[in-house]
Structures are given as C-alpha cells and as structure tokens.
Coordinates of all heavy atoms in Angstrom, one line a residue:
M1 N 4.1 -3.9 -18.0 CA 3.4 -3.3 -16.9 C 3.7 -4.1 -15.7 O 3.7 -5.4 -15.7 CB 1.9 -3.4 -17.2 CG 1.0 -2.6 -16.3 SD -0.7 -2.6 -16.7 CE -0.7 -1.6 -18.2
P2 N 4.0 -3.5 -14.5 CA 4.3 -4.3 -13.3 C 3.1 -5.2 -12.9 O 2.0 -4.8 -13.1 CB 4.5 -3.1 -12.3 CG 4.7 -1.9 -13.0 CD 4.0 -2.1 -14.3
L3 N 3.5 -6.3 -12.2 CA 2.5 -7.2 -11.7 C 2.5 -7.1 -10.2 O 3.6 -7.1 -9.6 CB 2.8 -8.6 -12.1 CG 2.6 -8.9 -13.6 CD1 3.0 -10.3 -14.0 CD2 1.2 -8.6 -14.1
L4 N 1.3 -7.1 -9.6 CA 1.2 -7.0 -8.1 C 0.5 -8.2 -7.6 O -0.6 -8.5 -8.1 CB 0.4 -5.7 -7.8 CG 0.1 -5.5 -6.3 CD1 1.3 -5.3 -5.5 CD2 -0.9 -4.3 -6.2
T5 N 1.1 -8.9 -6.7 CA 0.5 -10.1 -6.1 C 0.2 -9.8 -4.6 O 1.1 -9.3 -3.9 CB 1.5 -11.3 -6.1 OG1 1.8 -11.6 -7.5 CG2 0.8 -12.5 -5.5
I6 N -1.0 -9.9 -4.2 CA -1.5 -9.7 -2.8 C -1.9 -11.0 -2.3 O -2.8 -11.6 -2.7 CB -2.7 -8.7 -2.7 CG1 -2.4 -7.4 -3.4 CG2 -3.1 -8.5 -1.3 CD1 -1.4 -6.5 -2.7
Q7 N -1.1 -11.5 -1.3 CA -1.4 -12.8 -0.7 C -2.8 -12.7 0.0 O -3.1 -11.7 0.6 CB -0.4 -13.2 0.4 CG 0.9 -13.7 -0.3 CD 1.9 -14.2 0.8 OE1 1.7 -14.1 2.0 NE2 3.0 -14.7 0.3
G8 N -3.6 -13.7 -0.2 CA -4.9 -13.8 0.4 C -6.0 -13.3 -0.5 O -7.2 -13.5 -0.2
L9 N -5.7 -12.6 -1.6 CA -6.7 -12.2 -2.5 C -6.8 -13.2 -3.6 O -5.8 -13.7 -4.1 CB -6.4 -10.8 -3.1 CG -6.5 -9.6 -2.2 CD1 -6.2 -8.3 -3.0 CD2 -7.8 -9.5 -1.5
P10 N -8.0 -13.6 -4.0 CA -8.2 -14.5 -5.1 C -7.8 -13.9 -6.4 O -7.8 -12.7 -6.6 CB -9.7 -14.9 -5.1 CG -10.3 -13.7 -4.5 CD -9.3 -13.1 -3.5
G11 N -7.5 -14.8 -7.4 CA -7.2 -14.4 -8.7 C -5.7 -14.2 -9.0 O -4.9 -14.4 -8.2
P12 N -5.4 -13.9 -10.3 CA -4.0 -13.8 -10.7 C -3.4 -12.5 -10.3 O -4.1 -11.6 -9.8 CB -4.2 -13.8 -12.3 CG -5.5 -13.3 -12.5 CD -6.4 -13.7 -11.4
P13 N -2.1 -12.4 -10.4 CA -1.4 -11.1 -10.1 C -2.1 -10.0 -10.9 O -2.6 -10.2 -12.0 CB 0.0 -11.3 -10.5 CG 0.2 -12.8 -10.5 CD -1.1 -13.4 -10.9
L14 N -2.1 -8.8 -10.3 CA -2.7 -7.6 -10.9 C -1.7 -6.9 -11.8 O -0.6 -6.6 -11.3 CB -3.3 -6.7 -9.8 CG -4.1 -7.3 -8.7 CD1 -4.5 -6.3 -7.7 CD2 -5.3 -8.0 -9.3
A15 N -2.1 -6.6 -13.0 CA -1.3 -5.8 -13.9 C -1.6 -4.3 -13.5 O -2.7 -3.9 -13.6 CB -1.6 -6.0 -15.3
V16 N -0.6 -3.6 -13.1 CA -0.8 -2.3 -12.6 C 0.0 -1.2 -13.3 O 1.2 -1.3 -13.5 CB -0.3 -2.2 -11.1 CG1 -0.6 -0.9 -10.5 CG2 -1.0 -3.3 -10.3
P17 N -0.6 -0.2 -13.8 CA 0.1 0.9 -14.5 C 1.0 1.6 -13.5 O 0.6 1.8 -12.3 CB -1.0 1.9 -15.0 CG -2.3 1.1 -14.9 CD -2.1 0.0 -13.9
A18 N 2.2 2.0 -13.9 CA 3.1 2.7 -13.0 C 2.4 4.0 -12.6 O 1.7 4.6 -13.3 CB 4.4 3.0 -13.8
G19 N 2.7 4.4 -11.3 CA 2.1 5.6 -10.7 C 0.8 5.3 -9.9 O 0.3 6.2 -9.2
T20 N 0.3 4.1 -10.0 CA -0.9 3.7 -9.3 C -0.5 3.3 -7.9 O 0.5 2.7 -7.6 CB -1.5 2.5 -10.0 OG1 -1.8 2.8 -11.4 CG2 -2.9 2.1 -9.3
T21 N -1.4 3.7 -6.9 CA -1.1 3.2 -5.6 C -1.6 1.8 -5.5 O -2.4 1.3 -6.2 CB -1.9 4.1 -4.5 OG1 -3.3 3.8 -4.7 CG2 -1.6 5.5 -4.6
V22 N -1.0 1.1 -4.5 CA -1.4 -0.3 -4.2 C -2.8 -0.4 -3.9 O -3.5 -1.3 -4.4 CB -0.5 -0.9 -3.1 CG1 -1.0 -2.2 -2.7 CG2 1.0 -0.9 -3.5
L23 N -3.4 0.5 -3.1 CA -4.8 0.5 -2.8 C -5.7 0.7 -4.0 O -6.6 -0.1 -4.2 CB -5.1 1.6 -1.8 CG -6.6 1.6 -1.3 CD1 -6.9 0.4 -0.5 CD2 -6.8 2.9 -0.5
A24 N -5.3 1.6 -4.9 CA -6.1 1.8 -6.1 C -6.1 0.6 -7.0 O -7.1 0.3 -7.6 CB -5.6 3.1 -6.9
A25 N -4.9 -0.1 -7.1 CA -4.8 -1.3 -7.9 C -5.7 -2.4 -7.3 O -6.4 -3.1 -8.1 CB -3.3 -1.7 -7.9
I26 N -5.7 -2.5 -6.0 CA -6.6 -3.5 -5.4 C -8.0 -3.3 -5.7 O -8.8 -4.1 -6.1 CB -6.3 -3.6 -3.9 CG1 -4.9 -4.1 -3.6 CG2 -7.3 -4.5 -3.2 CD1 -4.4 -4.0 -2.2
H27 N -8.4 -2.0 -5.5 CA -9.8 -1.6 -5.8 C -10.2 -1.8 -7.2 O -11.3 -2.2 -7.6 CB -10.1 -0.2 -5.3 CG -10.1 -0.1 -3.8 ND1 -10.1 1.1 -3.1 CD2 -10.3 -1.0 -2.8 CE1 -10.2 0.9 -1.8 NE2 -10.3 -0.4 -1.6
A28 N -9.3 -1.4 -8.1 CA -9.6 -1.5 -9.6 C -9.8 -2.9 -10.0 O -10.5 -3.2 -11.0 CB -8.4 -0.9 -10.4
A29 N -9.2 -3.9 -9.3 CA -9.4 -5.3 -9.6 C -10.7 -5.8 -8.9 O -11.0 -7.0 -9.1 CB -8.2 -6.1 -9.1
G30 N -11.4 -5.0 -8.2 CA -12.7 -5.4 -7.7 C -12.6 -6.0 -6.3 O -13.6 -6.6 -5.8
H31 N -11.5 -5.8 -5.6 CA -11.3 -6.3 -4.3 C -11.6 -5.2 -3.3 O -11.3 -4.1 -3.5 CB -9.9 -6.9 -4.1 CG -9.6 -8.0 -5.0 ND1 -10.2 -9.2 -5.0 CD2 -8.7 -8.0 -6.0 CE1 -9.6 -10.0 -5.9 NE2 -8.7 -9.3 -6.5
D32 N -12.1 -5.6 -2.1 CA -12.3 -4.7 -1.0 C -11.1 -4.7 -0.2 O -10.4 -5.7 0.0 CB -13.5 -5.2 -0.2 CG -14.0 -4.1 0.8 OD1 -13.6 -2.9 0.6 OD2 -14.7 -4.4 1.7
W33 N -10.7 -3.5 0.3 CA -9.5 -3.4 1.2 C -9.8 -2.3 2.2 O -10.2 -1.2 1.7 CB -8.3 -3.1 0.4 CG -7.0 -3.3 1.1 CD1 -6.2 -2.4 1.8 CD2 -6.3 -4.6 1.2 NE1 -5.1 -3.0 2.3 CE2 -5.2 -4.4 2.0 CE3 -6.6 -5.9 0.7 CZ2 -4.3 -5.4 2.3 CZ3 -5.7 -6.9 1.0 CH2 -4.5 -6.6 1.8
L34 N -9.6 -2.5 3.4 CA -9.9 -1.5 4.4 C -9.1 -0.2 4.2 O -7.9 -0.3 3.9 CB -9.6 -2.1 5.8 CG -10.1 -1.3 7.0 CD1 -11.7 -1.3 7.0 CD2 -9.7 -2.0 8.3
H35 N -9.8 0.9 4.3 CA -9.1 2.2 4.1 C -10.0 3.3 4.9 O -10.6 4.1 4.3 CB -8.9 2.6 2.7 CG -10.2 2.6 1.8 ND1 -10.9 1.5 1.5 CD2 -10.8 3.6 1.3 CE1 -12.0 1.8 0.8 NE2 -12.0 3.1 0.6
A36 N -9.9 3.2 6.2 CA -10.8 3.9 7.1 C -10.7 5.4 6.9 O -11.7 6.1 7.1 CB -10.6 3.5 8.5
C37 N -9.6 6.0 6.6 CA -9.5 7.4 6.5 C -9.7 7.9 5.1 O -9.6 9.1 4.8 CB -8.1 7.9 6.9 SG -6.8 7.5 5.8
G38 N -10.1 7.1 4.2 CA -10.4 7.5 2.8 C -9.2 7.7 2.0 O -9.1 8.5 1.1
A39 N -8.1 6.9 2.3 CA -6.9 6.9 1.5 C -6.1 8.2 1.7 O -5.5 8.7 0.8 CB -7.1 6.6 0.1
K40 N -6.2 8.8 2.9 CA -5.5 10.1 3.1 C -4.2 9.9 3.9 O -3.6 10.9 4.3 CB -6.5 11.0 3.8 CG -7.7 11.4 3.0 CD -8.5 12.5 3.6 CE -9.6 13.0 2.7 NZ -10.9 12.5 2.9
G41 N -3.8 8.7 4.3 CA -2.6 8.5 5.0 C -2.8 8.9 6.5 O -1.8 9.2 7.1
R42 N -3.9 8.7 7.0 CA -4.2 9.2 8.4 C -4.6 8.1 9.4 O -5.0 8.4 10.5 CB -5.3 10.3 8.4 CG -4.9 11.5 7.7 CD -6.0 12.5 7.8 NE -5.6 13.7 7.0 CZ -6.4 14.6 6.6 NH1 -7.7 14.5 6.9 NH2 -6.0 15.6 5.9
C43 N -4.5 6.8 8.9 CA -5.1 5.8 9.8 C -4.2 4.5 9.9 O -4.3 3.8 11.0 CB -6.5 5.4 9.4 SG -6.6 4.5 7.9
T44 N -3.6 4.1 9.0 CA -2.8 2.8 8.9 C -3.7 1.6 8.7 O -3.1 0.4 8.7 CB -1.8 2.5 10.1 OG1 -2.6 2.1 11.2 CG2 -1.0 3.7 10.3
T45 N -5.0 1.7 8.5 CA -5.8 0.5 8.3 C -5.5 -0.2 7.0 O -5.9 -1.4 6.8 CB -7.3 0.8 8.4 OG1 -7.6 1.8 7.4 CG2 -7.7 1.3 9.8
C46 N -4.9 0.5 6.1 CA -4.7 -0.1 4.7 C -3.3 -0.7 4.6 O -2.9 -1.2 3.6 CB -4.8 1.0 3.7 SG -3.5 2.3 3.8
R47 N -2.6 -0.8 5.7 CA -1.2 -1.3 5.7 C -1.0 -2.6 5.0 O -1.9 -3.5 5.1 CB -0.6 -1.3 7.1 CG -0.9 -2.5 7.9 CD -0.2 -2.6 9.2 NE -0.7 -1.5 10.0 CZ -0.1 -1.1 11.1 NH1 1.1 -1.6 11.5 NH2 -0.6 -0.1 11.8
V48 N 0.1 -2.8 4.4 CA 0.5 -4.1 3.7 C 1.9 -4.3 4.1 O 2.7 -3.4 4.4 CB 0.4 -4.0 2.2 CG1 -1.1 -3.9 1.8 CG2 1.2 -2.9 1.6
R49 N 2.3 -5.6 4.2 CA 3.7 -6.0 4.4 C 4.2 -6.4 3.1 O 3.7 -7.2 2.4 CB 3.8 -7.2 5.4 CG 5.2 -7.6 5.6 CD 5.4 -8.6 6.7 NE 5.0 -7.9 8.0 CZ 4.3 -8.5 9.0 NH1 3.9 -9.7 8.8 NH2 4.0 -7.8 10.0
V50 N 5.3 -5.8 2.7 CA 5.9 -6.0 1.4 C 6.9 -7.2 1.6 O 7.9 -7.1 2.3 CB 6.7 -4.7 0.9 CG1 7.3 -5.0 -0.5 CG2 5.7 -3.6 0.8
L51 N 6.6 -8.3 0.9 CA 7.5 -9.5 1.0 C 8.5 -9.5 -0.1 O 9.6 -10.1 0.1 CB 6.6 -10.7 0.9 CG 5.5 -10.8 2.0 CD1 4.7 -12.1 1.7 CD2 6.1 -10.9 3.4
A52 N 8.3 -8.9 -1.2 CA 9.3 -8.8 -2.3 C 8.9 -7.6 -3.2 O 7.8 -7.2 -3.3 CB 9.2 -10.1 -3.1
G53 N 9.9 -7.1 -3.8 CA 9.7 -6.0 -4.8 C 9.6 -4.7 -4.2 O 9.1 -3.8 -4.9
A54 N 10.1 -4.4 -3.0 CA 10.0 -3.1 -2.4 C 10.7 -2.0 -3.3 O 10.3 -0.9 -3.3 CB 10.7 -3.1 -1.0
E55 N 11.7 -2.5 -4.1 CA 12.3 -1.5 -5.0 C 11.4 -1.0 -6.1 O 11.8 -0.1 -6.8 CB 13.6 -2.1 -5.6 CG 13.4 -3.3 -6.6 CD 13.1 -4.6 -5.9 OE1 13.0 -4.7 -4.7 OE2 13.0 -5.6 -6.7
C56 N 10.3 -1.7 -6.3 CA 9.3 -1.3 -7.3 C 8.3 -0.3 -6.8 O 7.3 0.0 -7.5 CB 8.6 -2.5 -7.9 SG 9.8 -3.6 -8.7
L57 N 8.5 0.2 -5.6 CA 7.6 1.1 -5.0 C 8.3 2.5 -4.8 O 9.5 2.5 -4.5 CB 7.1 0.7 -3.6 CG 6.2 -0.6 -3.6 CD1 5.9 -1.1 -2.2 CD2 4.9 -0.4 -4.4
A58 N 7.6 3.6 -5.0 CA 8.2 4.9 -4.7 C 8.6 5.0 -3.2 O 8.1 4.2 -2.4 CB 7.2 6.0 -5.1
L59 N 9.4 5.9 -2.9 CA 9.9 6.1 -1.6 C 8.7 6.4 -0.6 O 7.7 6.9 -1.1 CB 10.9 7.3 -1.5 CG 12.2 7.0 -2.2 CD1 13.1 8.3 -2.2 CD2 13.0 5.8 -1.6
P60 N 8.9 6.0 0.6 CA 7.8 6.3 1.6 C 7.4 7.8 1.6 O 8.2 8.6 1.5 CB 8.3 5.8 2.9 CG 9.4 4.9 2.6 CD 10.0 5.3 1.3
T61 N 6.1 8.0 1.8 CA 5.6 9.4 1.8 C 5.7 9.9 3.2 O 6.0 9.2 4.2 CB 4.1 9.4 1.4 OG1 3.3 8.6 2.4 CG2 3.9 8.8 0.0
E62 N 5.4 11.2 3.4 CA 5.5 11.8 4.7 C 4.6 11.1 5.7 O 5.1 10.9 6.9 CB 5.1 13.3 4.6 CG 5.2 14.1 5.8 CD 6.6 14.1 6.4 OE1 7.6 14.1 5.7 OE2 6.7 14.0 7.7
P63 N 3.4 10.8 5.4 CA 2.6 10.0 6.4 C 3.2 8.7 6.8 O 3.2 8.3 8.0 CB 1.2 9.8 5.7 CG 1.1 10.9 4.8 CD 2.5 11.2 4.3
E64 N 3.8 8.0 5.9 CA 4.4 6.7 6.2 C 5.6 6.9 7.1 O 5.9 6.2 8.0 CB 4.8 6.0 4.9 CG 3.7 5.5 4.1 CD 4.1 4.9 2.8 OE1 4.6 5.6 1.9 OE2 3.9 3.7 2.6
L65 N 6.4 7.9 6.8 CA 7.6 8.2 7.6 C 7.2 8.6 9.0 O 7.8 8.3 10.0 CB 8.4 9.3 6.9 CG 9.1 8.9 5.6 CD1 9.7 10.2 5.0 CD2 10.0 7.8 5.8
R66 N 6.1 9.4 9.1 CA 5.6 9.8 10.4 C 5.2 8.6 11.3 O 5.5 8.5 12.4 CB 4.4 10.8 10.3 CG 4.0 11.5 11.5 CD 3.0 12.6 11.3 NE 1.8 12.1 10.6 CZ 1.4 12.4 9.4 NH1 2.1 13.3 8.7 NH2 0.3 11.9 8.9
Y67 N 4.4 7.6 10.6 CA 4.0 6.4 11.3 C 5.2 5.5 11.7 O 5.2 4.9 12.8 CB 3.0 5.7 10.5 CG 1.6 6.3 10.6 CD1 1.0 6.7 9.5 CD2 0.9 6.4 11.8 CE1 -0.3 7.3 9.6 CE2 -0.3 7.0 11.9 CZ -0.9 7.4 10.8 OH -2.2 8.0 10.9
R68 N 6.2 5.5 10.8 CA 7.4 4.7 11.2 C 8.1 5.3 12.4 O 8.5 4.6 13.3 CB 8.3 4.7 10.0 CG 8.0 3.6 9.0 CD 9.1 3.4 8.0 NE 8.6 2.5 7.0 CZ 9.1 2.4 5.8 NH1 10.1 3.1 5.4 NH2 8.6 1.5 4.9
A69 N 8.2 6.6 12.4 CA 8.9 7.3 13.5 C 8.2 7.0 14.8 O 8.8 7.0 15.9 CB 9.0 8.8 13.2
A70 N 6.9 6.9 14.7 CA 6.0 6.7 15.9 C 5.9 5.2 16.3 O 5.3 4.8 17.2 CB 4.6 7.2 15.7
G71 N 6.6 4.3 15.5 CA 6.6 2.9 15.8 C 5.3 2.2 15.4 O 5.0 1.1 15.8
R72 N 4.5 2.8 14.5 CA 3.2 2.3 14.1 C 3.2 1.7 12.7 O 2.2 1.2 12.2 CB 2.1 3.3 14.2 CG 1.9 3.8 15.7 CD 0.8 4.8 15.8 NE -0.5 4.3 15.2 CZ -1.5 5.1 15.0 NH1 -1.5 6.4 15.3 NH2 -2.6 4.6 14.5
L73 N 4.4 1.7 12.1 CA 4.5 1.1 10.8 C 5.9 0.5 10.7 O 6.9 1.2 10.8 CB 4.4 2.2 9.7 CG 4.1 1.7 8.3 CD1 2.8 1.0 8.1 CD2 4.1 2.9 7.3
A74 N 6.0 -0.8 10.6 CA 7.3 -1.5 10.5 C 8.0 -1.2 9.3 O 7.4 -0.8 8.3 CB 7.0 -3.0 10.7
P75 N 9.4 -1.4 9.3 CA 10.2 -1.1 8.1 C 9.7 -1.8 6.8 O 9.8 -1.3 5.7 CB 11.6 -1.5 8.5 CG 11.6 -1.4 10.0 CD 10.2 -1.8 10.4
A76 N 9.2 -3.0 7.0 CA 8.7 -3.8 5.8 C 7.3 -3.5 5.4 O 6.7 -4.1 4.5 CB 8.9 -5.3 6.0
E77 N 6.6 -2.6 6.2 CA 5.2 -2.3 5.9 C 5.1 -1.0 5.1 O 5.9 -0.1 5.3 CB 4.4 -2.2 7.2 CG 4.3 -3.5 7.9 CD 3.6 -3.4 9.2 OE1 3.7 -2.4 9.9 OE2 3.0 -4.4 9.6
R78 N 4.1 -0.9 4.3 CA 3.7 0.4 3.6 C 2.2 0.6 3.8 O 1.4 -0.3 4.0 CB 4.0 0.2 2.1 CG 5.5 0.0 1.8 CD 6.4 1.2 2.1 NE 6.0 2.4 1.4 CZ 6.4 2.9 0.3 NH1 7.4 2.2 -0.4 NH2 6.0 4.0 -0.3
L79 N 1.8 1.8 3.6 CA 0.4 2.2 3.6 C 0.0 2.0 2.1 O 0.5 2.6 1.2 CB 0.2 3.6 4.0 CG 0.5 3.9 5.5 CD1 0.3 5.4 5.8 CD2 -0.2 3.0 6.4
A80 N -1.0 1.1 1.9 CA -1.4 0.8 0.5 C -1.9 2.1 -0.2 O -1.8 2.2 -1.4 CB -2.5 -0.3 0.5
C81 N -2.5 3.0 0.6 CA -3.0 4.2 -0.1 C -1.9 5.2 -0.4 O -2.2 6.1 -1.2 CB -4.0 4.9 0.8 SG -3.3 5.7 2.3
Q82 N -0.7 5.0 0.1 CA 0.4 5.9 -0.2 C 1.4 5.3 -1.1 O 2.1 6.1 -1.8 CB 1.1 6.3 1.2 CG 0.1 7.0 2.2 CD -0.3 8.3 1.7 OE1 0.5 9.2 1.5 NE2 -1.6 8.5 1.5
A83 N 1.6 4.0 -1.1 CA 2.7 3.4 -1.8 C 2.3 3.3 -3.3 O 1.4 2.7 -3.7 CB 2.9 2.0 -1.3
R84 N 3.1 4.0 -4.1 CA 2.9 4.0 -5.6 C 3.9 3.1 -6.3 O 5.1 3.0 -5.9 CB 3.1 5.4 -6.1 CG 2.0 6.3 -5.8 CD 2.0 7.6 -6.5 NE 1.0 8.5 -6.0 CZ -0.3 8.4 -6.3 NH1 -0.7 7.6 -7.2 NH2 -1.2 9.2 -5.8
I85 N 3.4 2.4 -7.2 CA 4.2 1.5 -8.0 C 4.9 2.2 -9.1 O 4.3 3.1 -9.7 CB 3.3 0.4 -8.6 CG1 2.7 -0.5 -7.5 CG2 4.0 -0.5 -9.6 CD1 1.4 -1.2 -7.8
T86 N 6.2 2.0 -9.2 CA 7.0 2.8 -10.1 C 7.3 2.0 -11.4 O 7.0 0.8 -11.5 CB 8.4 3.1 -9.5 OG1 9.1 2.0 -9.1 CG2 8.2 4.1 -8.3
Ligands
FES101 S1 -6.4 4.4 4.2 FE1 -5.9 5.4 6.0 S2 -3.7 5.4 5.9 FE2 -4.3 4.4 4.1

C-alpha cells in the first residue's frame, strides 16, 4: 500500500489505498485540511506541493489543468481533492 507523507502533519506516513485522493487520505487519518469548495475542484484552498513521488499520482484532472492554465496552480502543485494516489 502506498505511503503518503505530508510535511507539517504529526504522526507517521499515511498508508493509503490506491485510488484515494490525497485529501481523503489526510481526512481519514484524522487531520484537518482546508477544502473550502467541498472537494469539488473549484477553489485551490486544498493545494499541496509535491516534493517527491509525483509519478505515484494520477494525471492532473480538468480543474487542475484549468488552474494551471490560469497561473493559479504551479507545475509542482496539485489539488489534494483531485490528486488520486495510484
Ligand atoms: S477543496 Fe476546493 S479545489 Fe480542492
């Protein structure tokens, strides 16, 4: 099972079933994470910067591509509510 490490969150790396979004994994571990639009890909408040293991995430979704094109999401950033672990 893939392991997810979020800098700044206490505790060990999170064991995450494939297909889970980064946001769902964080919430399942009992951590709070901002998600103002309710995880619908409409706000960017859930963004994360991927420092390693980007190849373990599914390709960016349409909302992520739209925010990138608008300059509101850097190439190394993903929306936690959209990024699924593969
Ligand atoms: S929670 Fe709004 S874009 Fe992810």
Side-chain angles (χ1 to χ4, degrees):
M1 191 176 294
L3 294 177
L4 174 66
T5 301
I6 304 288
Q7 286 186 353
L9 289 183
L14 311 176
V16 182
T20 305
T21 66
V22 172
L23 182 66
I26 292 170
H27 285 167
H31 300 293
D32 193 18
W33 196 264
L34 194 59
H35 57 292
C37 73
K40 294 185 172 106
R42 296 181 182 162
C43 71
T44 75
T45 58
C46 66
R47 82 175 66 198
V48 293
R49 179 169 294 139
V50 179
L51 301 177
E55 69 279 5
C56 297
L57 296 173
L59 294 175
T61 63
E62 183 59 36
E64 291 175 295
L65 294 174
R66 191 173 57 245
Y67 282 118
R68 278 193 185 158
R72 295 181 58 192
L73 196 65
E77 293 177 331
R78 298 292 304 266
L79 297 178
C81 71
Q82 301 292 301
R84 288 192 187 276
I85 295 157
T86 58

